[in-house]
Amino acid sequence: MAFPIQRLRRLRQHEGFRRMVRETRLSPDDLIYPLFVVEGQNRREEIASMPGQFRLSVDLLVKEASEIEALGIPGIILFGIPDRKDAKGTAGYDPNGIVQRAVKAVKDHVPGLMVVTDVCIDEYTDHGHCGVVKDGRILNDETLDCLRAMALTHAQAGADMVAPSDMMDGRVAAIRGELDQAGFTELPIMAYAAKFASCFYAPFRDAAGSSPQFGDRQSYQMDSANRREALREIALDVEEGADIIMVKPALPYLDIIAAARSQILLPVAAYQVSGEYSMIKAAAKAGWLDESRAMMESLLSIKRAGADLILTYFAKDAARLLH
Ligand code: PBG
């Protein structure tokens, strides 16, 4: 029985009806806010390619954290920008490193806010790659040692969850083993399971100074063309002990989010990455898009595709609109 009996516009006529039949709803509960932390005191530097986002020193990060908590956002994810970088990213697993101190400060002052840490050495290596380099190659198994050490120092600093983003094979199992051995059996892992070699990370690399100094990340991050391979990556991370799996970037990979949601019982996170944020910001600044509407529509689409959690630089703006 079709038209004229069926008229789908009937339930679109009033905001009341639209509210009643709305299938997907965003909530501040869905959001995780990524933050960049730097050395020093009272430092707040706007990131040129990410208007409205800042590199913060630990003292200001703590203030920011209480604002975020007050907005009803359940958690943040921290990225450290160290003063010194070297070939193996040792500043990343220094127990007194920038992220380790930041985690401790936030947990001391804003204990109710969940602090997730990004586990990857690229922000700490002088070559900018996510792994140990030898003869121009990114070594997998040697990198696992760095990741184990890094995750452990994050846990010891008080992190609520660790999130490996390097795309080395076997890192989830390696980190799980390390954490369990040290008594952190209850600490969850959110695996950046399907992370694509994307151009949309460019503003982040500018923010973190982590652009590769030679080559690119295609030998470890995924080929954008591959959906089945993404599902293998996700399945492996589940097997290795991930508690949450992530797809990244989000908007150009909604099909991967939807496939993950339909095949996996774990919570699915999606990362609306820096380039996705900056595109909307730039278009809004030029007067070509309405910023709030573009933000909410993109976040809603990511949720509709199946993401339970969304990591987004829009978290605060979105949470304000959702209250
Ligand atoms: C790696 C990491 C990256 C992002 C999150 N974790 C950068 C990369 O792979 O180059 C990108 C996030 C974004 O673009 O917002 N530590």
Side-chain angles (χ1 to χ4, degrees), residues 50 79 118 120 122-123 130 165 192 195 200-205 210 217 221 248 271-275 313:
M50 301 174 70
F79 296 95
D118 184 83
C120 182
D122 69 324
E123 293 119 59
C130 304
S165 68
Y192 287 68
K195 177 174 179 181
F200 290 103
Y201 308 144
F204 173 98
R205 291 178 189 170
S210 62
R217 301 206 205 286
Q221 297 182 349
K248 174 186 173 190
Y271 199 141
Q272 182 182 49
V273 301
S274 55
Y313 302 97

